[in-house]
Amino acid sequence: KEHFDAVHSVTPKAGLLAMTAARFTYTPIRIHNLSGQVWASRDGFFRALLKSIDRITINNSTRLLSDSFSQITFLLNQGLVKTGQVEVLGSGSICGVDSNRFHPSADLRRTIRDTLGIPKVGFVILFVGRLNMDKGILDLAQAFAQLARHHDDVWLVVVGSDEEDIGDDFDRYCGDALTHVRRIGHTDSPENYMAAADVFALPSYRESFGLTVIEAAACGVPGIASRIYGLTDAVVEGKTGLMHPPGDVSAIHDCLLRLYTDSILRFRLGNAAMARAKTEFSMLRVTTEFSTYYERIFK
């Protein structure tokens, strides 16, 4: 009915619906943002099924974008795209980070810690995201329990909704360290908790980019993340954060311990992460890149 000149979709389900509908209605420009593959952490029939759905979306698109370079490499290796078929705008990300929201704040750090009953000098590990198996939250619980067993000034703050009803498992893995865990649930103000954290942990099994790592970085908080596609774009290993193999609880613990014991390294990584977030992933830069892209394809 509307006869659009272009349709631009983001996320797997939206991409399948929008790109298919746009092709059926002869929309000439069909852009899809590849932003994570649900099948990346699946096996067997469901992996094949979900992968075939992504293939339909890709085939129905006339242009493809990715929010990370490493995602393109993954898709090339999986045979879903061809060399040169996918673009990354700027350094990656879809929306960038708003430095007016995400920035260090001594006042917020003090207020949030007081509200949560965490001492000013406590070492705070933060997780922000959906509580599900793909995010590696149970791995983080086990690693934190190991750290807390020998250090009574460490705290874990978990912000996000429990999508898969794994809260009981999470509590069980935390064990005696549960008294030093604060679960917040969903929030519209993740920046408040990032300002109160010392490190940000995202031990995920799949990510297309990992924007929360960049948002935490903008608050001067270094990241500890899985060495997987997407996150290798969000963290410069050894410069803005530390990385570990996905699912490796011992390695997660070692990363946490290293930043707990080495405050100089922690501050150096945090400062470098903040500088990178502001220069490479600012909201202004990302939106400018999209604007320039639209101007180019509509000429």
Side-chain angles (χ1 to χ4, degrees):
K1 179 181 177 181
E2 301 296 337
H3 301 290
F4 293 113
D5 295 304
V7 172
H8 187 167
S9 60
V10 183
T11 75
K13 186 182 293 185
L16 174 65
L17 298 175
M19 293 298 97
T20 302
R23 185 171 186 176
F24 284 168
T25 54
Y26 303 102
T27 302
I29 299 176
R30 304 184 296 274
I31 311 163
H32 178 62
N33 256 97
L34 295 157
S35 57
Q37 289 68 51
V38 177
W39 48 269
S41 57
R42 301 292 189 271
D43 295 308
F45 171 76
F46 283 106
R47 179 182 175 91
L49 175 64
L50 294 169
K51 192 173 181 179
S52 67
I53 290 174
D54 270 4
R55 197 181 300 274
I56 292 171
T57 301
I58 289 170
N59 290 338
N60 284 336
S61 306
T62 60
R63 293 176 176 270
L64 294 170
L65 295 174
S66 172
D67 53 359
S68 68
F69 292 97
S70 56
Q71 181 177 213
I72 296 178
T73 301
F74 173 76
L75 293 172
L76 283 169
N77 292 337
Q78 292 293 317
L80 264 74
V81 299
K82 299 176 182 178
T83 301
Q85 188 180 1
V86 188
E87 290 185 64
V88 173
L89 302 184
S91 298
S93 179
I94 291 177
C95 60
V97 61
D98 182 359
S99 58
N100 291 321
R101 279 185 64 192
F102 296 90
H103 57 81
S105 171
D107 288 341
L108 272 177
R109 181 180 177 89
R110 181 174 56 254
T111 299
I112 293 298
R113 286 179 175 234
D114 286 347
T115 301
L116 297 178
I118 296 175
K120 182 174 66 174
V121 295
F123 180 77
V124 175
I125 303 156
L126 176 66
F127 171 91
V128 176
R130 302 181 306 276
L131 272 65
N132 60 37
M133 299 299 290
D134 281 347
K135 291 293 185 181
I137 186 63
L138 298 185
D139 298 333
L140 179 59
Q142 295 175 75
F144 173 72
Q146 291 181 22
L147 185 67
R149 195 171 298 130
H150 303 286
H151 306 280
D152 61 4
D153 59 343
V154 296
W155 302 77
L156 175 61
V157 177
V158 176
V159 179
S161 56
D162 186 355
E163 282 192 347
E164 296 180 352
D165 196 24
I166 60 175
D168 290 342
D169 289 333
F170 173 83
D171 291 349
R172 178 166 53 84
Y173 281 125
C174 287
D176 293 338
L178 191 59
T179 56
H180 278 218
V181 175
R182 300 291 183 267
R183 284 175 55 189
I184 308 303
H186 174 76
T187 180
D188 293 322
S189 304
E191 65 272 19
N192 293 349
Y193 299 96
M194 291 173 178
D198 292 295
V199 298
F200 184 86
L202 187 57
S204 191
Y205 287 79
R206 63 175 181 90
E207 293 286 341
S208 63
F209 177 68
L211 179 61
T212 52
V213 177
I214 298 298
E215 290 172 339
C219 297
V221 180
I224 294 175
S226 303
R227 195 179 295 108
I228 59 173
Y229 81 87
L231 290 182
T232 54
D233 291 67
V235 176
V236 180
E237 190 165 4
K239 294 185 178 180
T240 67
L242 303 179
M243 306 198 82
H244 57 81
D248 192 331
V249 173
S250 295
I252 297 171
H253 167 267
D254 291 346
C255 289
L256 293 172
L257 179 62
R258 186 178 176 190
L259 292 189
Y260 168 79
T261 57
D262 193 340
S263 60
I264 294 176
L265 174 63
R266 188 168 72 243
F267 290 128
R268 177 168 61 80
L269 295 177
N271 288 335
M274 181 167 58
R276 182 171 183 254
K278 289 182 177 180
T279 55
E280 294 190 33
F281 300 105
S282 70
M283 184 177 289
L284 176 61
R285 183 186 181 193
V286 174
T287 53
T288 299
E289 290 284 353
F290 270 102
S291 178
T292 302
Y293 176 76
Y294 286 138
E295 289 174 358
R296 169 160 56 89
I297 67 174
F298 286 136
K299 283 184 178 180

